[in-house]
Amino acid sequence: MAGFQEPPLKKAKSESFALHSAGASSQSPLKNNNGFGKNKWQNGSSPNQAGVKSPVKSPDQMKKILKQRHSLPIFPARSKLLEELKKSESVIVIGETGSGKTTQIPQYIHEERWDRKGAICITQPRRVAAISIAKRVAEEMDTQLGGLVGYSVRFEEAVSPSTKLKYVTDGMLLREAISDPLMSKYSWVILDEAHERTVSTDVLFGIVKDAQRSRKVQGKEPLKIIIMSATMDVDHFSTYFNKAPVLYLEGRQYPIEMFYARQKQEDYVMTCMSTIFQIHKEAPAQHDILVFLTGQEEIDSVVFSLKQIAKDPSLLEYPKLRVYPLYAALPSHQQLDVFRETAQGERKVIISTNIAETSITIPGIKYVVDSGRAKIRSYNASSGFDALKVKKISQAQAWQRTGRAGREAEGFCYRGYTQEEFKAMPINPVPEILRTNLASVILQLLAIGVKNVMNFDFIDKPSVDSVKQAIEQLALIGGVVTSPGLELTPAGRRMAQFPLEPRYAKTILSGPEYGCTDEILTIIAVLSSETIFVNPSGKKDLAAKVRQKFSSVEGDHITMLKIFRAFKSSKESKMWCHENFLNFRNISYAVEVRKQLVQVCQRCNIPIISCQQNLEPVRRCLVAGLFTSVAELQLDGKYLTLSTRQECAIHPASVLFGGKPAYVLFTELVHTGKAYMHINSAVDADWLYEVAPDYFRKRHMKK
Ligand code: CDP
Ligand code: MG
């Protein structure tokens, strides 16, 4: 990050707190055992910013909103920006998070009525960001969400024919490109958060660039492209977009005082928790804390523990603590809590994934606590599986996180790692396209009509091997044929209609053949949502016992199906979920996902048949799509995957744990020290041979 200095470590902070433990753990987060060192980080400053209010309509409130809009760093650059947008067909805009890029630029374009002939589409890597920003912009424009301003994310949308400012996830725009590769609905495509380099955004770079060129060649309405980002390798992007001009926005950044851990920390979650209470006891009320952790489960459990600890009588003299989770799968009404202004005498603590790094701006943050970690999806080519792993972030991300503390006033950042650890972090994150399974990408490119996927104009090209591997996988599930040339099959075309990994789409397509589309849709909907199980710390055994009645010896998929059916019979009761240690929110989400999948099936003329109580066909059907994710029991009691002979074990959370089925079909292989199979079903060797005889013969499977 140019211009940001990182001065040497100063004297360590040494206050400690004599508080007794409130949690069950002997290592209480109330203990200040992380020993932070202290140093200063400084950058330019500018005037303070007005607070953000909840939805408004009265003239007074509108005035306030306008004032806030005018106080954003982007506002003074408005005319310069518009001038540049008018002249150039592609523009790159760089500006600190919170400067107003995402909310203001589309409004400026609309105010000029440059969206008369085609709408403005703004992509976000995350659904929460797309939804919350659309809401905010609708408020600023004083219109109903879903009218002039709308959003469209996987499994949820609020748009109408009159929508001119449309916030979408990058995945959604990619999906739209399948039926409309020229993006003819839009005059403007804004690819936001470009530095995140998600696979979908990376593919979109190539797709919009091509759409822009094709529209020009065909004499159609021009397509304007804006690439926006907080920080990025500008030259690389500018070159790629035909030497597009780069506009830098003067950011707003107040000084931030930095603290590093003095020694390496064993447990980053505990470090973050103890830091929160250390801050809590020092900081005045309304000085809010933003904490960066990794995933939903971890965040939910930390939120739970913090709420418990906050009840400790010794903490009564401090401000009232309000703790909120923030992650991509959070339902929209809960996201709003995060943006609510903190009341007098209170303090807000937000426990977030990397979503709050750049996509979402939360007002009031004075303190940032950074675990230095994120859940990162990476593809292991040798094992052939995608894995979500907790990994160290890059320096660029660490600085983004730090920056969140200094948007409105001076702030503080606590890094739960040492300065040496920081220096050892990679400077920039590796683009996702270079570390992911490309089967979806290749399927989508083919569906969009890209003939030569090997030569697709990627900003950073994935290796030939990983493209070949993806093509092989698609050929295995019948999505493509490779001779005489690479081509989508009719089944592949239908697979591309589903907002799912190709192998899951294939499973649905196989539903009618096995007579169980209905059940498969349910299972895939549940798999698409975050975990439906609630395992409160201290009550894990009880939860497992209560849920025992749903357990099926056939495996986790059938168990999930049974739970979903029971949830439906309970009339989708929240109480019922509570009693059964099930997450109401996540099951309800699965219900919505299922409805969407049913619609796709109807569009593709896939009959929805149910196998009722005879559930064997369900597992056979799972095999039809997921047969490359099967492990075989060995004589020594261990499992080896059939695809790459990798050693793995049944995860203890699986209903199959403890049993030794000869063949296990798994949903995910996660490496946490050891490779664990998650969400599994017991399957028969015969079924495997039936579905893919050549594939299994080659693997010398025992029969
Ligand atoms: O895109 P960029 O990070 O440059 O900023 P933005 O998302 O357009 O946000 C500009 C300002 O709008 C932020 O500083 C917030 O104060 C406010 N905002 C908000 O209050 N609520 C939202 N959901 C989004 C933005
Ligand atoms: Mg933004």
Side-chain angles (χ1 to χ4, degrees):
M1 277 175 80
F4 294 156
Q5 294 255 312
E6 192 202 334
L9 203 75
K10 273 215 231 146
K11 151 169 151 309
K13 243 187 135 66
S14 58
E15 300 94 299
S16 65
F17 305 99
L19 252 168
H20 66 86
S21 159
S25 155
S26 61
Q27 199 195 358
S28 164
L30 284 175
K31 273 195 237 148
N32 174 31
N33 53 5
N34 47 357
F36 276 99
K38 179 176 183 178
N39 70 14
K40 197 111 175 162
W41 182 58
Q42 181 115 19
N43 195 250
S45 61
S46 52
N48 206 340
Q49 183 188 337
V52 182
K53 298 278 179 291
S54 34
V56 289
K57 291 275 180 264
S58 81
D60 248 15
Q61 285 167 316
M62 280 317 289
K63 229 188 250 166
K64 229 179 203 166
I65 278 212
L66 203 61
K67 198 172 152 218
Q68 189 267 351
R69 289 190 59 197
H70 288 177
S71 75
L72 287 171
I74 199 171
F75 185 66
R78 187 183 186 278
S79 53
K80 173 90 182 53
L81 177 83
L82 288 172
E83 202 181 296
E84 201 62 64
L85 292 180
K86 196 170 186 176
K87 295 206 291 254
S88 318
E89 52 181 17
S90 308
V91 174
I92 296 171
V93 182
I94 309 282
E96 268 312 328
T97 308
S99 50
K101 301 181 296 297
T102 314
T103 53
Q104 306 306 304
I105 292 178
Q107 293 190 68
Y108 295 167
I109 295 170
H110 176 72
E111 284 155 13
E112 298 299 313
R113 298 294 182 266
W114 289 348
D115 55 1
R116 232 182 248 131
K117 295 194 175 145
I120 310 162
C121 182
I122 311 99
T123 66
Q124 294 293 314
R126 298 187 181 83
R127 45 184 286 130
V128 185
I131 300 169
S132 77
I133 291 166
K135 278 189 177 139
R136 170 70 192 176
V137 173
E139 259 170 40
E140 289 187 8
M141 297 175 78
D142 203 13
T143 67
Q144 208 73 39
L145 187 62
L148 185 59
V149 185
Y151 68 83
S152 169
V153 303
R154 189 166 89 138
F155 303 131
E156 198 179 329
E157 72 171 15
V159 286
S160 64
S162 59
T163 302
K164 286 289 186 191
L165 281 72
K166 185 163 150 193
Y167 289 87
V168 304
T169 48
D170 44 15
M172 279 316 282
L173 184 59
L174 204 50
R175 198 147 292 286
E176 280 186 19
I178 294 176
S179 52
D180 180 15
L182 290 184
M183 314 230 155
S184 42
K185 272 193 272 180
Y186 306 114
S187 288
W188 299 83
V189 170
I190 304 181
L191 302 177
D192 202 356
E193 308 288 350
H195 65 280
E196 291 227 5
R197 304 291 307 273
T198 60
V199 171
S200 296
T201 300
D202 262 31
V203 175
L204 279 172
F205 290 143
I207 300 289
V208 295
K209 188 177 163 186
D210 192 56
Q212 186 182 59
R213 192 189 49 82
S214 302
R215 274 161 67 159
K216 197 150 73 182
V217 172
Q218 297 173 21
K220 299 205 159 110
E221 274 302 309
L223 175 65
K224 295 268 200 177
I225 302 173
I226 309 178
I227 308 296
M228 304 204 297
S229 176
T231 52
M232 66 181 188
D233 183 355
V234 170
D235 293 342
H236 192 34
F237 275 83
S238 175
T239 311
Y240 179 76
F241 282 102
N242 314 315
K243 305 216 163 50
V246 182
L247 288 180
Y248 292 90
L249 295 171
E250 279 295 319
R252 177 184 292 130
Q253 185 63 63
Y254 294 87
I256 294 170
E257 206 170 331
M258 299 290 297
F259 300 82
Y260 285 91
R262 274 190 298 184
Q263 319 93 26
K264 226 173 161 173
Q265 300 293 303
E266 288 299 316
D267 180 343
Y268 67 88
V269 175
M270 196 50 78
T271 305
C272 288
M273 286 174 65
S274 61
T275 308
I276 293 168
F277 286 104
Q278 181 186 336
I279 296 167
H280 183 52
K281 285 184 249 158
E282 287 177 348
Q286 286 175 309
H287 283 193
D288 298 336
I289 310 174
L290 173 62
V291 185
F292 287 98
L293 279 165
T294 67
Q296 171 172 357
E297 236 172 299
E298 179 185 271
I299 288 172
D300 279 340
S301 109
V302 167
V303 167
F304 179 81
S305 309
L306 290 177
K307 284 183 176 167
Q308 292 302 110
I309 299 169
K311 291 181 193 153
D312 191 283
S314 65
L315 290 174
L316 285 179
E317 60 180 293
Y318 301 104
K320 188 171 166 51
L321 210 54
R322 298 228 175 249
V323 191
Y324 302 106
L326 181 62
Y327 40 77
L330 206 66
S332 8
H333 67 273
Q334 270 190 306
Q335 294 157 26
L336 291 180
D337 291 341
V338 166
F339 295 103
R340 212 160 280 146
E341 213 174 318
T342 311
Q344 284 205 346
E346 296 189 353
R347 175 186 335 283
K348 190 160 72 177
V349 179
I350 294 149
I351 316 291
S352 175
T353 58
N354 52 3
I355 190 165
E357 241 166 52
T358 57
S359 357
I360 283 187
T361 297
I362 305 154
I365 300 301
K366 195 78 175 154
Y367 290 84
V368 163
V369 178
D370 177 16
S371 66
R373 285 158 178 89
K375 240 186 187 174
I376 296 170
R377 184 168 285 285
S378 60
Y379 180 62
N380 183 333
S382 66
S383 74
F385 296 106
D386 254 349
L388 256 183
K389 279 199 235 174
V390 171
K391 288 198 175 150
K392 290 254 178 79
I393 55 170
S394 63
Q395 293 187 8
Q397 285 166 291
W399 284 122
Q400 281 300 328
R401 292 179 175 192
T402 299
R404 314 308 282 154
R407 291 287 171 252
E408 297 169 6
E410 291 181 5
F412 305 86
C413 175
Y414 288 72
R415 289 183 171 164
Y417 41 92
T418 65
Q419 205 167 23
E420 287 64 42
E421 282 178 275
F422 171 74
K423 285 182 186 149
M425 287 173 174
I427 307 283
N428 284 302
V430 181
E432 195 183 2
I433 197 134
L434 302 183
R435 53 179 164 84
T436 191
N437 180 339
L438 296 174
S440 293
V441 172
I442 303 298
L443 187 75
Q444 276 176 328
L445 284 178
L446 289 168
I448 291 169
V450 174
K451 290 275 179 305
N452 192 341
V453 290
M454 286 288 187
N455 286 343
F456 181 71
D457 186 11
F458 285 108
I459 185 162
D460 283 306
K461 262 194 194 316
S463 71
V464 174
D465 274 355
S466 58
V467 175
K468 276 191 183 151
Q469 210 176 11
I471 292 172
E472 247 169 59
Q473 285 172 16
L474 288 172
L476 267 176
I477 55 171
V480 299
V481 287
T482 49
S483 67
L486 177 63
E487 217 176 310
L488 218 52
T489 62
R493 194 161 295 285
R494 286 160 119 195
M495 285 179 208
Q497 296 293 315
F498 286 90
L500 298 168
E501 260 182 65
R503 55 199 193 114
Y504 291 119
K506 160 77 180 181
T507 314
I508 295 178
L509 291 187
S510 308
E513 190 186 330
Y514 293 89
C516 58
T517 340
D518 190 283
E519 287 72 22
I520 290 294
L521 287 175
T522 298
I523 291 170
I524 288 175
V526 176
L527 291 177
S528 300
S529 92
E530 294 284 335
T531 178
I532 57 169
F533 302 113
V534 180
N535 293 311
S537 40
K539 286 195 192 162
K540 284 202 174 83
D541 293 342
L542 176 65
K545 209 169 135 198
V546 172
R547 288 195 303 254
Q548 183 69 37
K549 56 181 175 282
F550 306 117
S551 285
S552 157
V553 288
E554 295 151 296
D556 300 306
H557 298 100
I558 300 295
T559 304
M560 285 174 166
L561 175 64
K562 285 186 173 167
I563 292 175
F564 190 91
R565 282 180 172 177
F567 175 61
K568 283 298 219 182
S569 330
S570 83
K571 304 239 159 17
E572 306 190 12
S573 152
K574 199 171 179 171
M575 195 60 190
W576 180 86
C577 285
H578 185 76
E579 286 162 1
N580 289 290
F581 291 90
L582 296 167
N583 188 316
F584 172 72
R585 198 165 79 206
N586 292 350
I587 301 195
S588 306
Y589 178 74
V591 173
E592 289 309 308
V593 170
R594 196 180 181 289
K595 282 185 197 151
Q596 304 279 331
L597 293 176
V598 166
Q599 282 174 15
V600 182
C601 284
Q602 285 163 346
R603 267 209 310 274
C604 295
N605 291 322
I606 299 167
I608 298 175
I609 311 164
S610 166
C611 60
Q612 309 292 341
Q613 298 312 319
N614 168 26
L615 295 177
E616 189 184 292
V618 177
R619 281 181 299 145
R620 284 175 169 247
C621 187
L622 287 172
V623 167
L626 308 176
F627 61 87
T628 51
S629 309
V630 173
E632 184 184 39
L633 182 65
Q634 306 300 301
L635 289 174
D636 60 5
K638 289 178 180 149
Y639 281 92
L640 286 183
T641 63
L642 287 171
S643 55
T644 56
R645 314 296 299 170
Q646 179 178 1
E647 194 181 311
C648 54
I650 296 175
H651 191 270
S654 171
V655 296
L656 296 184
F657 182 71
K660 291 268 178 203
Y663 291 94
V664 174
L665 173 140
F666 56 88
T667 312
E668 212 177 9
L669 203 62
V670 179
H671 301 253
T672 34
K674 194 169 166 182
Y676 280 112
M677 297 184 273
H678 281 258
I679 312 180
N680 312 307
S681 279
V683 295
D684 268 18
D686 292 348
W687 306 346
L688 300 175
Y689 266 103
E690 254 172 55
V691 164
D694 292 343
Y695 178 82
F696 288 106
R697 207 165 295 127
K698 258 192 231 153
R699 275 156 183 82
H700 306 295
M701 198 181 80
K702 290 187 284 172
K703 211 183 151 189

